[in-house]
Amino acid sequence: SVCPRRRTSMPDEVDLSFVFYVSGHGLGHLTRCAEVARALLRTRNGAAPPRRVTFVTNAANCEVLGTREVDGEGGVCRVMHLLEEGVEVGIRDRRLDAGARQRDAFCIDIDETRDGALAFHRDIDMLIAEEVRWLRESRPDVVVSDVVGLAFPAARQAGVPVVLMTNFSWGFIYRPFIREGEDDGAFRSVVGREEEMVGQADGFLRLAGFSVFGPRSLESMAVDVPLIARPIREGREAMRSRLRIDEDAKVCLLMTGGHSLGVDFDWQTIGDANASSPSSSWLFFVTASMLGDARGEDLPPNVRLVPPKAYVPDFVAMADVVIGKIGYGTVSECLSSRTPLVYVPRENFCEEEDLRKLLERQRAGLEMPRETFLAGDWCNALSTALQMRPAVLAIDTDGARIAAAIIVDAAERKKRSAC
């Protein structure tokens, strides 16, 4: 069905309509697209502009931002709340890409990833045809795709301009998984098709920490966009006061993008390390998804759970250090809040290399070997990272506004050419 129009704050008459194709593999894809959508819908003189935004994505991924069901023209629909003024976007629940399969928070499963990509591409022409039909019906002015390859041929066939907004492609991620020296033609075709699809973009918003991928035609049209990060809503002092944390306490937030730390991790090691070194004691915040089979009551006293619907960027800003994996969302929110990131390398995921270089240029990242992390031997890394917090951020974090302005310009050019 098309974007819902009843019992929501989305206007019936719009001057511009946008569709975002958002990968369901990694929360950072959703949060950065949501920030650009917020910028598109930002109020003007107290009134929301007459624009409509629809997200095509895995709807379950949107729950972190808050969704609800409403009555729409095609029946019950799901919408996502984006602005304090009550502005919402429609959600169209679709399987869009195979992504990468992870064994745990820090390890990509190559065999599972290959199998998933091969299976997905067996259906890709059917999926593209479905999107062509829907785009012709909904008639957006611009399609924006965050790493979703099938959006490009679908938009092209539907006659809608399509903009790529990403720092990598799935073809770039999959290419090292080609098995050299053996007949791997089917998987080579998957890699080639992914790169060919993104090469059909009409524009390219190249995000900070980007990797080089796709055909050379992308390079010539690339417009570099600064960091896109969710804003801080509640400051450090207010957060610590509300959570009853002393201002001089040392706080560490663990972030793993919703993945469990795996069966090899013993949470008690954190408590043991603090007990053996009281002068370097830390308070740790973790999300429930990281616990795996562990329960909240099994955690040592210096480990607290982040509330289920907490606004994570405020916890990033409140922390002295973040420990986690390198991904666009984590890196952008750590940099924008000037919180050092102690990162555990992620095996077999080549997006990490260019984001790591971005962290190094800002002197805001420190590597912790996986073995050290699993042993809970974090004190040295935390003490070093504590000295890394920059007084001034040497990188722009206004990417959402800039990306939105470019997308609006593309939509308005399409409108003018149709007159």
Side-chain angles (χ1 to χ4, degrees), residues 118-134:
L118 287 164
F120 178 80
H121 272 258
R122 284 194 284 270
D123 297 331
I124 197 166
D125 289 322
M126 176 189 69
L127 296 171
I128 290 171
E130 289 177 359
E131 296 311 304
V132 172
R133 288 191 292 271
W134 181 77

PDB file of all heavy atoms in Angstrom, residues 118-134:
ATOM      1  N   LEU A 118      23.538 -15.425  -1.844  1.00  0.00           N
ATOM      2  CA  LEU A 118      23.161 -16.249  -2.996  1.00  0.00           C
ATOM      3  C   LEU A 118      21.660 -16.515  -3.011  1.00  0.00           C
ATOM      4  O   LEU A 118      21.008 -16.421  -4.067  1.00  0.00           O
ATOM      5  CB  LEU A 118      23.934 -17.570  -2.964  1.00  0.00           C
ATOM      6  CG  LEU A 118      25.423 -17.486  -3.319  1.00  0.00           C
ATOM      7  CD1 LEU A 118      26.156 -18.752  -2.887  1.00  0.00           C
ATOM      8  CD2 LEU A 118      25.595 -17.252  -4.822  1.00  0.00           C
ATOM      9  N   ALA A 119      21.093 -16.839  -1.853  1.00  0.00           N
ATOM     10  CA  ALA A 119      19.657 -17.105  -1.773  1.00  0.00           C
ATOM     11  C   ALA A 119      18.847 -15.855  -2.095  1.00  0.00           C
ATOM     12  O   ALA A 119      17.845 -15.916  -2.818  1.00  0.00           O
ATOM     13  CB  ALA A 119      19.297 -17.631  -0.381  1.00  0.00           C
ATOM     14  N   PHE A 120      19.272 -14.715  -1.577  1.00  0.00           N
ATOM     15  CA  PHE A 120      18.546 -13.466  -1.824  1.00  0.00           C
ATOM     16  C   PHE A 120      18.554 -13.117  -3.310  1.00  0.00           C
ATOM     17  O   PHE A 120      17.531 -12.702  -3.871  1.00  0.00           O
ATOM     18  CB  PHE A 120      19.167 -12.333  -1.010  1.00  0.00           C
ATOM     19  CG  PHE A 120      18.518 -11.003  -1.237  1.00  0.00           C
ATOM     20  CD1 PHE A 120      17.331 -10.692  -0.597  1.00  0.00           C
ATOM     21  CD2 PHE A 120      19.077 -10.073  -2.097  1.00  0.00           C
ATOM     22  CE1 PHE A 120      16.706  -9.464  -0.807  1.00  0.00           C
ATOM     23  CE2 PHE A 120      18.465  -8.851  -2.312  1.00  0.00           C
ATOM     24  CZ  PHE A 120      17.277  -8.546  -1.669  1.00  0.00           C
ATOM     25  N   HIS A 121      19.684 -13.282  -3.957  1.00  0.00           N
ATOM     26  CA  HIS A 121      19.793 -12.896  -5.367  1.00  0.00           C
ATOM     27  C   HIS A 121      19.019 -13.827  -6.290  1.00  0.00           C
ATOM     28  O   HIS A 121      18.742 -13.447  -7.440  1.00  0.00           O
ATOM     29  CB  HIS A 121      21.261 -12.794  -5.773  1.00  0.00           C
ATOM     30  CG  HIS A 121      21.835 -11.443  -5.527  1.00  0.00           C
ATOM     31  ND1 HIS A 121      22.036 -10.513  -6.525  1.00  0.00           N
ATOM     32  CD2 HIS A 121      22.206 -10.833  -4.363  1.00  0.00           C
ATOM     33  CE1 HIS A 121      22.515  -9.412  -6.009  1.00  0.00           C
ATOM     34  NE2 HIS A 121      22.644  -9.575  -4.696  1.00  0.00           N
ATOM     35  N   ARG A 122      18.647 -14.993  -5.830  1.00  0.00           N
ATOM     36  CA  ARG A 122      17.787 -15.846  -6.660  1.00  0.00           C
ATOM     37  C   ARG A 122      16.414 -15.220  -6.848  1.00  0.00           C
ATOM     38  O   ARG A 122      15.724 -15.494  -7.830  1.00  0.00           O
ATOM     39  CB  ARG A 122      17.673 -17.238  -6.036  1.00  0.00           C
ATOM     40  CG  ARG A 122      18.911 -18.103  -6.244  1.00  0.00           C
ATOM     41  CD  ARG A 122      18.645 -19.560  -5.935  1.00  0.00           C
ATOM     42  NE  ARG A 122      18.586 -19.820  -4.503  1.00  0.00           N
ATOM     43  CZ  ARG A 122      19.644 -20.145  -3.759  1.00  0.00           C
ATOM     44  NH1 ARG A 122      20.844 -20.223  -4.316  1.00  0.00           N
ATOM     45  NH2 ARG A 122      19.512 -20.378  -2.468  1.00  0.00           N
ATOM     46  N   ASP A 123      16.003 -14.361  -5.904  1.00  0.00           N
ATOM     47  CA  ASP A 123      14.685 -13.726  -5.958  1.00  0.00           C
ATOM     48  C   ASP A 123      14.753 -12.253  -6.350  1.00  0.00           C
ATOM     49  O   ASP A 123      13.734 -11.567  -6.359  1.00  0.00           O
ATOM     50  CB  ASP A 123      13.993 -13.821  -4.590  1.00  0.00           C
ATOM     51  CG  ASP A 123      13.724 -15.256  -4.165  1.00  0.00           C
ATOM     52  OD1 ASP A 123      13.538 -16.111  -5.048  1.00  0.00           O
ATOM     53  OD2 ASP A 123      13.702 -15.506  -2.941  1.00  0.00           O
ATOM     54  N   ILE A 124      15.930 -11.746  -6.669  1.00  0.00           N
ATOM     55  CA  ILE A 124      16.078 -10.288  -6.734  1.00  0.00           C
ATOM     56  C   ILE A 124      15.302  -9.664  -7.884  1.00  0.00           C
ATOM     57  O   ILE A 124      14.739  -8.568  -7.753  1.00  0.00           O
ATOM     58  CB  ILE A 124      17.572  -9.887  -6.774  1.00  0.00           C
ATOM     59  CG1 ILE A 124      17.700  -8.396  -6.426  1.00  0.00           C
ATOM     60  CG2 ILE A 124      18.200 -10.207  -8.134  1.00  0.00           C
ATOM     61  CD1 ILE A 124      19.114  -7.966  -6.110  1.00  0.00           C
ATOM     62  N   ASP A 125      15.197 -10.352  -9.018  1.00  0.00           N
ATOM     63  CA  ASP A 125      14.456  -9.759 -10.131  1.00  0.00           C
ATOM     64  C   ASP A 125      12.969  -9.646  -9.798  1.00  0.00           C
ATOM     65  O   ASP A 125      12.312  -8.659 -10.181  1.00  0.00           O
ATOM     66  CB  ASP A 125      14.665 -10.591 -11.410  1.00  0.00           C
ATOM     67  CG  ASP A 125      16.075 -10.440 -11.956  1.00  0.00           C
ATOM     68  OD1 ASP A 125      16.624  -9.319 -11.893  1.00  0.00           O
ATOM     69  OD2 ASP A 125      16.654 -11.439 -12.421  1.00  0.00           O
ATOM     70  N   MET A 126      12.441 -10.634  -9.090  1.00  0.00           N
ATOM     71  CA  MET A 126      11.047 -10.563  -8.653  1.00  0.00           C
ATOM     72  C   MET A 126      10.854  -9.404  -7.679  1.00  0.00           C
ATOM     73  O   MET A 126       9.860  -8.659  -7.765  1.00  0.00           O
ATOM     74  CB  MET A 126      10.650 -11.874  -7.977  1.00  0.00           C
ATOM     75  CG  MET A 126       9.241 -11.885  -7.399  1.00  0.00           C
ATOM     76  SD  MET A 126       8.932 -13.345  -6.388  1.00  0.00           S
ATOM     77  CE  MET A 126       9.993 -13.005  -4.970  1.00  0.00           C
ATOM     78  N   LEU A 127      11.800  -9.231  -6.748  1.00  0.00           N
ATOM     79  CA  LEU A 127      11.703  -8.149  -5.774  1.00  0.00           C
ATOM     80  C   LEU A 127      11.800  -6.784  -6.441  1.00  0.00           C
ATOM     81  O   LEU A 127      11.080  -5.842  -6.075  1.00  0.00           O
ATOM     82  CB  LEU A 127      12.794  -8.300  -4.713  1.00  0.00           C
ATOM     83  CG  LEU A 127      12.710  -9.562  -3.843  1.00  0.00           C
ATOM     84  CD1 LEU A 127      13.960  -9.698  -2.994  1.00  0.00           C
ATOM     85  CD2 LEU A 127      11.470  -9.534  -2.965  1.00  0.00           C
ATOM     86  N   ILE A 128      12.665  -6.659  -7.436  1.00  0.00           N
ATOM     87  CA  ILE A 128      12.784  -5.400  -8.171  1.00  0.00           C
ATOM     88  C   ILE A 128      11.469  -5.081  -8.874  1.00  0.00           C
ATOM     89  O   ILE A 128      10.976  -3.939  -8.842  1.00  0.00           O
ATOM     90  CB  ILE A 128      13.953  -5.471  -9.179  1.00  0.00           C
ATOM     91  CG1 ILE A 128      15.296  -5.472  -8.428  1.00  0.00           C
ATOM     92  CG2 ILE A 128      13.896  -4.294 -10.154  1.00  0.00           C
ATOM     93  CD1 ILE A 128      16.487  -5.766  -9.324  1.00  0.00           C
ATOM     94  N   ALA A 129      10.868  -6.090  -9.502  1.00  0.00           N
ATOM     95  CA  ALA A 129       9.589  -5.872 -10.202  1.00  0.00           C
ATOM     96  C   ALA A 129       8.502  -5.395  -9.242  1.00  0.00           C
ATOM     97  O   ALA A 129       7.692  -4.519  -9.589  1.00  0.00           O
ATOM     98  CB  ALA A 129       9.161  -7.163 -10.905  1.00  0.00           C
ATOM     99  N   GLU A 130       8.474  -5.939  -8.021  1.00  0.00           N
ATOM    100  CA  GLU A 130       7.503  -5.497  -7.025  1.00  0.00           C
ATOM    101  C   GLU A 130       7.700  -4.021  -6.683  1.00  0.00           C
ATOM    102  O   GLU A 130       6.730  -3.260  -6.545  1.00  0.00           O
ATOM    103  CB  GLU A 130       7.624  -6.339  -5.753  1.00  0.00           C
ATOM    104  CG  GLU A 130       7.141  -7.774  -5.891  1.00  0.00           C
ATOM    105  CD  GLU A 130       7.348  -8.566  -4.620  1.00  0.00           C
ATOM    106  OE1 GLU A 130       7.888  -7.979  -3.639  1.00  0.00           O
ATOM    107  OE2 GLU A 130       6.994  -9.752  -4.586  1.00  0.00           O
ATOM    108  N   GLU A 131       8.969  -3.616  -6.536  1.00  0.00           N
ATOM    109  CA  GLU A 131       9.248  -2.225  -6.180  1.00  0.00           C
ATOM    110  C   GLU A 131       8.938  -1.277  -7.333  1.00  0.00           C
ATOM    111  O   GLU A 131       8.502  -0.147  -7.110  1.00  0.00           O
ATOM    112  CB  GLU A 131      10.699  -2.071  -5.724  1.00  0.00           C
ATOM    113  CG  GLU A 131      11.031  -2.842  -4.457  1.00  0.00           C
ATOM    114  CD  GLU A 131      10.001  -2.599  -3.365  1.00  0.00           C
ATOM    115  OE1 GLU A 131       9.764  -1.422  -3.004  1.00  0.00           O
ATOM    116  OE2 GLU A 131       9.415  -3.580  -2.892  1.00  0.00           O
ATOM    117  N   VAL A 132       9.151  -1.721  -8.570  1.00  0.00           N
ATOM    118  CA  VAL A 132       8.803  -0.890  -9.727  1.00  0.00           C
ATOM    119  C   VAL A 132       7.305  -0.599  -9.714  1.00  0.00           C
ATOM    120  O   VAL A 132       6.873   0.553  -9.895  1.00  0.00           O
ATOM    121  CB  VAL A 132       9.214  -1.583 -11.043  1.00  0.00           C
ATOM    122  CG1 VAL A 132       8.666  -0.802 -12.246  1.00  0.00           C
ATOM    123  CG2 VAL A 132      10.728  -1.696 -11.152  1.00  0.00           C
ATOM    124  N   ARG A 133       6.506  -1.643  -9.485  1.00  0.00           N
ATOM    125  CA  ARG A 133       5.055  -1.448  -9.457  1.00  0.00           C
ATOM    126  C   ARG A 133       4.657  -0.482  -8.343  1.00  0.00           C
ATOM    127  O   ARG A 133       3.830   0.416  -8.547  1.00  0.00           O
ATOM    128  CB  ARG A 133       4.339  -2.796  -9.271  1.00  0.00           C
ATOM    129  CG  ARG A 133       4.378  -3.689 -10.497  1.00  0.00           C
ATOM    130  CD  ARG A 133       3.429  -4.864 -10.344  1.00  0.00           C
ATOM    131  NE  ARG A 133       3.866  -5.792  -9.308  1.00  0.00           N
ATOM    132  CZ  ARG A 133       4.680  -6.818  -9.517  1.00  0.00           C
ATOM    133  NH1 ARG A 133       5.164  -7.049 -10.743  1.00  0.00           N
ATOM    134  NH2 ARG A 133       5.020  -7.629  -8.539  1.00  0.00           N
ATOM    135  N   TRP A 134       5.261  -0.650  -7.154  1.00  0.00           N
ATOM    136  CA  TRP A 134       4.891   0.211  -6.021  1.00  0.00           C
ATOM    137  C   TRP A 134       5.327   1.654  -6.257  1.00  0.00           C
ATOM    138  O   TRP A 134       4.590   2.598  -5.946  1.00  0.00           O
ATOM    139  CB  TRP A 134       5.505  -0.332  -4.734  1.00  0.00           C
ATOM    140  CG  TRP A 134       5.139   0.505  -3.554  1.00  0.00           C
ATOM    141  CD1 TRP A 134       3.953   0.520  -2.882  1.00  0.00           C
ATOM    142  CD2 TRP A 134       5.963   1.495  -2.923  1.00  0.00           C
ATOM    143  NE1 TRP A 134       3.986   1.447  -1.864  1.00  0.00           N
ATOM    144  CE2 TRP A 134       5.207   2.061  -1.869  1.00  0.00           C
ATOM    145  CE3 TRP A 134       7.260   1.947  -3.146  1.00  0.00           C
ATOM    146  CZ2 TRP A 134       5.708   3.068  -1.037  1.00  0.00           C
ATOM    147  CZ3 TRP A 134       7.775   2.956  -2.332  1.00  0.00           C
ATOM    148  CH2 TRP A 134       6.998   3.501  -1.285  1.00  0.00           C
TER     149      TRP A 134
END
